[in-house]
Short mmCIF file of all heavy atoms in Angstrom, two decimals:
data_model
loop_
_atom_site.label_atom_id
_atom_site.label_comp_id
_atom_site.label_asym_id
_atom_site.label_seq_id
_atom_site.Cartn_x
_atom_site.Cartn_y
_atom_site.Cartn_z
N LEU A 671 18.52 -18.84 -6.55
CA LEU A 671 18.68 -17.98 -7.70
C LEU A 671 17.40 -17.81 -8.49
O LEU A 671 17.06 -16.71 -8.94
CB LEU A 671 19.78 -18.56 -8.62
CG LEU A 671 20.15 -17.72 -9.83
CD1 LEU A 671 20.75 -16.39 -9.41
CD2 LEU A 671 21.13 -18.50 -10.70
N SER A 672 16.61 -18.88 -8.60
CA SER A 672 15.36 -18.78 -9.31
C SER A 672 14.36 -17.89 -8.58
O SER A 672 13.62 -17.12 -9.18
CB SER A 672 14.75 -20.17 -9.57
OG SER A 672 14.39 -20.76 -8.36
N TYR A 673 14.32 -18.00 -7.24
CA TYR A 673 13.46 -17.11 -6.46
C TYR A 673 13.86 -15.65 -6.59
O TYR A 673 13.01 -14.77 -6.70
CB TYR A 673 13.47 -17.51 -4.98
CG TYR A 673 12.64 -18.73 -4.67
CD1 TYR A 673 13.18 -19.79 -3.95
CD2 TYR A 673 11.33 -18.85 -5.11
CE1 TYR A 673 12.46 -20.92 -3.67
CE2 TYR A 673 10.59 -20.00 -4.82
CZ TYR A 673 11.16 -21.03 -4.10
OH TYR A 673 10.42 -22.14 -3.81
N ILE A 674 15.14 -15.40 -6.64
CA ILE A 674 15.63 -14.02 -6.84
C ILE A 674 15.21 -13.52 -8.20
O ILE A 674 14.74 -12.36 -8.35
CB ILE A 674 17.15 -13.96 -6.64
CG1 ILE A 674 17.51 -14.23 -5.18
CG2 ILE A 674 17.72 -12.64 -7.10
CD1 ILE A 674 18.99 -14.42 -4.90
N ALA A 675 15.35 -14.33 -9.24
CA ALA A 675 15.00 -13.93 -10.60
C ALA A 675 13.49 -13.64 -10.71
O ALA A 675 13.09 -12.67 -11.33
CB ALA A 675 15.39 -15.00 -11.59
N ILE A 676 12.69 -14.47 -10.09
CA ILE A 676 11.23 -14.27 -10.12
C ILE A 676 10.87 -12.98 -9.38
O ILE A 676 10.01 -12.20 -9.82
CB ILE A 676 10.51 -15.49 -9.52
CG1 ILE A 676 10.63 -16.65 -10.50
CG2 ILE A 676 9.04 -15.16 -9.26
CD1 ILE A 676 10.16 -17.97 -9.93
N THR A 677 11.50 -12.72 -8.25
CA THR A 677 11.25 -11.53 -7.50
C THR A 677 11.61 -10.29 -8.29
O THR A 677 10.87 -9.30 -8.32
CB THR A 677 12.02 -11.54 -6.16
OG1 THR A 677 11.65 -12.71 -5.41
CG2 THR A 677 11.72 -10.31 -5.32
N ILE A 678 12.76 -10.31 -8.96
CA ILE A 678 13.17 -9.19 -9.80
C ILE A 678 12.17 -8.96 -10.93
O ILE A 678 11.82 -7.82 -11.23
CB ILE A 678 14.61 -9.41 -10.32
CG1 ILE A 678 15.60 -9.29 -9.20
CG2 ILE A 678 14.92 -8.41 -11.44
CD1 ILE A 678 17.01 -9.68 -9.55
N GLY A 679 11.70 -10.03 -11.52
CA GLY A 679 10.70 -9.91 -12.60
C GLY A 679 9.40 -9.31 -12.10
O GLY A 679 8.82 -8.46 -12.80
N ILE A 680 8.94 -9.67 -10.95
CA ILE A 680 7.73 -9.09 -10.36
C ILE A 680 7.92 -7.61 -10.06
O ILE A 680 7.03 -6.78 -10.35
CB ILE A 680 7.29 -9.87 -9.10
CG1 ILE A 680 6.82 -11.25 -9.51
CG2 ILE A 680 6.21 -9.12 -8.35
CD1 ILE A 680 6.59 -12.19 -8.35
N ILE A 681 9.08 -7.27 -9.54
CA ILE A 681 9.37 -5.86 -9.25
C ILE A 681 9.41 -5.04 -10.54
O ILE A 681 8.86 -3.95 -10.63
CB ILE A 681 10.69 -5.72 -8.47
CG1 ILE A 681 10.52 -6.27 -7.07
CG2 ILE A 681 11.15 -4.27 -8.44
CD1 ILE A 681 11.82 -6.41 -6.28
N GLN A 682 10.02 -5.60 -11.61
CA GLN A 682 10.05 -4.90 -12.89
C GLN A 682 8.64 -4.71 -13.43
O GLN A 682 8.28 -3.63 -13.96
CB GLN A 682 10.84 -5.70 -13.93
CG GLN A 682 12.32 -5.66 -13.73
CD GLN A 682 13.06 -6.52 -14.72
OE1 GLN A 682 12.48 -7.44 -15.33
NE2 GLN A 682 14.31 -6.25 -14.91
N PHE A 683 7.79 -5.73 -13.34
CA PHE A 683 6.43 -5.61 -13.81
C PHE A 683 5.68 -4.51 -13.04
O PHE A 683 5.00 -3.70 -13.67
CB PHE A 683 5.71 -6.97 -13.60
CG PHE A 683 4.25 -6.93 -13.88
CD1 PHE A 683 3.80 -6.97 -15.19
CD2 PHE A 683 3.30 -6.83 -12.89
CE1 PHE A 683 2.44 -6.93 -15.49
CE2 PHE A 683 1.95 -6.79 -13.15
CZ PHE A 683 1.52 -6.83 -14.48
N LEU A 684 5.86 -4.43 -11.75
CA LEU A 684 5.18 -3.42 -10.94
C LEU A 684 5.66 -2.01 -11.30
O LEU A 684 4.87 -1.09 -11.42
CB LEU A 684 5.34 -3.70 -9.47
CG LEU A 684 4.63 -4.96 -8.94
CD1 LEU A 684 5.00 -5.20 -7.49
CD2 LEU A 684 3.15 -4.84 -9.13
N VAL A 685 6.98 -1.86 -11.47
CA VAL A 685 7.53 -0.55 -11.80
C VAL A 685 7.02 -0.08 -13.16
O VAL A 685 6.61 1.08 -13.32
CB VAL A 685 9.07 -0.59 -11.75
CG1 VAL A 685 9.69 0.63 -12.42
CG2 VAL A 685 9.57 -0.73 -10.35
N ILE A 686 7.03 -0.96 -14.15
CA ILE A 686 6.55 -0.63 -15.48
C ILE A 686 5.05 -0.29 -15.44
O ILE A 686 4.60 0.68 -16.05
CB ILE A 686 6.85 -1.72 -16.49
CG1 ILE A 686 8.35 -1.80 -16.72
CG2 ILE A 686 6.12 -1.48 -17.82
CD1 ILE A 686 8.80 -2.98 -17.54
N THR A 687 4.27 -1.08 -14.72
CA THR A 687 2.84 -0.82 -14.59
C THR A 687 2.56 0.52 -13.93
O THR A 687 1.70 1.29 -14.41
CB THR A 687 2.15 -1.95 -13.80
OG1 THR A 687 2.41 -3.20 -14.45
CG2 THR A 687 0.65 -1.73 -13.72
N ILE A 688 3.27 0.85 -12.87
CA ILE A 688 3.10 2.14 -12.21
C ILE A 688 3.47 3.28 -13.15
O ILE A 688 2.77 4.30 -13.24
CB ILE A 688 3.90 2.19 -10.92
CG1 ILE A 688 3.29 1.27 -9.88
CG2 ILE A 688 4.00 3.62 -10.35
CD1 ILE A 688 4.15 1.05 -8.63
N ASP A 689 4.55 3.12 -13.91
CA ASP A 689 4.99 4.15 -14.85
C ASP A 689 3.95 4.34 -15.97
O ASP A 689 3.65 5.48 -16.36
CB ASP A 689 6.32 3.78 -15.47
CG ASP A 689 6.85 4.87 -16.39
OD1 ASP A 689 6.96 6.03 -15.93
OD2 ASP A 689 7.08 4.56 -17.56
N VAL A 690 3.36 3.23 -16.47
CA VAL A 690 2.35 3.35 -17.51
C VAL A 690 1.09 4.03 -16.98
O VAL A 690 0.44 4.80 -17.68
CB VAL A 690 2.03 1.96 -18.10
CG1 VAL A 690 0.75 1.96 -18.94
CG2 VAL A 690 3.21 1.46 -18.93
N ILE A 691 0.74 3.77 -15.73
CA ILE A 691 -0.44 4.42 -15.12
C ILE A 691 -0.17 5.93 -14.96
O ILE A 691 -1.06 6.74 -15.24
CB ILE A 691 -0.79 3.76 -13.77
CG1 ILE A 691 -1.33 2.36 -14.02
CG2 ILE A 691 -1.80 4.63 -13.01
CD1 ILE A 691 -1.51 1.55 -12.73
N ARG A 692 1.02 6.29 -14.55
CA ARG A 692 1.35 7.71 -14.37
C ARG A 692 1.50 8.45 -15.67
O ARG A 692 1.15 9.62 -15.80
CB ARG A 692 2.62 7.84 -13.54
CG ARG A 692 2.44 7.53 -12.10
CD ARG A 692 3.71 7.79 -11.35
NE ARG A 692 3.56 7.46 -9.94
CZ ARG A 692 4.54 7.46 -9.09
NH1 ARG A 692 5.76 7.75 -9.50
NH2 ARG A 692 4.33 7.15 -7.83
N HIS A 693 2.09 7.79 -16.67
CA HIS A 693 2.34 8.40 -17.96
C HIS A 693 1.80 7.52 -19.06
O HIS A 693 2.56 6.78 -19.71
CB HIS A 693 3.86 8.60 -18.16
CG HIS A 693 4.52 9.32 -17.04
ND1 HIS A 693 4.39 10.67 -16.84
CD2 HIS A 693 5.33 8.86 -16.05
CE1 HIS A 693 5.08 11.01 -15.76
NE2 HIS A 693 5.66 9.93 -15.29
N PRO A 694 0.48 7.59 -19.32
CA PRO A 694 -0.12 6.71 -20.33
C PRO A 694 0.44 6.99 -21.73
O PRO A 694 0.82 8.10 -22.05
CB PRO A 694 -1.61 7.03 -20.28
CG PRO A 694 -1.80 8.00 -19.19
CD PRO A 694 -0.50 8.47 -18.70
N GLN A 695 0.50 5.93 -22.53
CA GLN A 695 0.97 6.04 -23.87
C GLN A 695 -0.13 6.65 -24.78
O GLN A 695 -1.30 6.60 -24.42
CB GLN A 695 1.34 4.66 -24.43
CG GLN A 695 2.39 3.96 -23.63
CD GLN A 695 3.74 4.62 -23.75
OE1 GLN A 695 4.16 4.98 -24.83
NE2 GLN A 695 4.40 4.82 -22.61
N MET A 696 0.23 7.19 -25.93
CA MET A 696 -0.74 7.74 -26.86
C MET A 696 -1.67 6.66 -27.40
O MET A 696 -2.85 6.84 -27.55
CB MET A 696 -0.07 8.48 -27.97
CG MET A 696 0.61 9.73 -27.55
SD MET A 696 1.37 10.52 -28.96
CE MET A 696 1.03 12.23 -28.56
#
């Protein structure tokens, strides 16, 4: 369960980072 939670967290980090790169904030 802890490995699954860590993997989900890494995936969330990557998705948010890609979104911020594509659509930068003001």
Side-chain angles (χ1 to χ4, degrees):
L671 184 64
S672 66
Y673 284 129
I674 291 170
I676 290 170
T677 304
I678 290 172
I680 291 170
I681 291 170
Q682 286 177 339
F683 174 79
L684 292 174
V685 167
I686 291 172
T687 303
I688 290 169
D689 184 56
V690 166
I691 290 171
R692 287 185 180 171
H693 308 286
Q695 302 292 315
M696 292 180 142

